[in-house]
């Protein structure tokens, strides 16, 4: 690996550890799936070894399940909101999807 974090054979950033993938996504828009049917899509500003994250320009989606009292039918409702800056505690994160890169 080069001093700049790239591999010598193809000059693409090297991913050798799981957190490298997050590091390479700094200042990029990422998707984060969390517990309790919450999702966030925003620009990654910072993270730490516990996967605590700070996202900016976030669109958060919360999906709730309601039961119709008459028909007992399950009704899924999604609520979206925009948040300028959001702190996500690492222990609520289920999945992180970095941006797609052309390759």
């Amino acid at each position: 690996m080069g001093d700049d974090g790239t591999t010598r054979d193809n000059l693409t950033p090297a991913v050798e550890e799981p957190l490298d993938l997050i590091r390479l996504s700094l200042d990029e828009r990422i998707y984060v799936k969390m517990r309790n049917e919450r999702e966030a899509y925003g620009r990654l500003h910072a993270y730490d070894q516990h996967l605590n994250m700070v996202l900016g320009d976030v669109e958060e989606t919360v999906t709730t399940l309601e039961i119709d009292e008459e028909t007992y039918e399950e009704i899924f409702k999604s609520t979206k909101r925009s948040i300028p800056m959001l702190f996500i505690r690492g222990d609520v994160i289920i999945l992180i999807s970095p941006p797609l890169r052309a390759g």
Side-chain angles (χ1 to χ4, degrees), residues 46-91:
Y47 72 96
D48 66 12
Q49 72 272 15
H50 305 289
L51 285 183
N52 296 321
M53 296 186 168
V54 176
L55 299 181
D57 301 321
V58 180
E59 181 177 288
E60 181 189 40
T61 304
V62 180
T63 304
T64 56
L65 172 65
E66 296 179 3
I67 306 291
D68 187 303
E69 293 180 9
E70 294 176 6
T71 64
Y72 297 104
E73 183 179 348
E74 294 180 344
I75 302 168
F76 289 95
K77 291 188 178 182
S78 291
T79 305
K80 292 188 178 192
R81 65 180 179 158
S82 293
I83 306 168
M85 192 68 66
L86 179 67
F87 175 86
I88 301 173
R89 187 176 160 118
D91 65 350

Side-chain angles (χ1 to χ4, degrees), residues 8-50:
R8 289 189 180 101
D9 56 350
N10 60 6
L11 295 178
T12 57
V15 177
E16 296 178 358
E17 298 179 13
L19 288 180
D20 289 346
L21 192 61
I22 312 264
R23 177 181 50 82
L24 294 171
S25 299
L26 278 170
D27 206 33
E28 303 271 351
R29 292 189 66 79
I30 63 169
Y31 168 80
V32 181
K33 183 169 178 63
M34 298 170 276
R35 293 183 190 171
N36 298 323
E37 303 300 325
R38 298 177 96 83
E39 302 172 357
Y41 184 72
R43 186 167 305 279
L44 179 62
H45 288 284
Y47 72 96
D48 66 12
Q49 72 272 15
H50 305 289

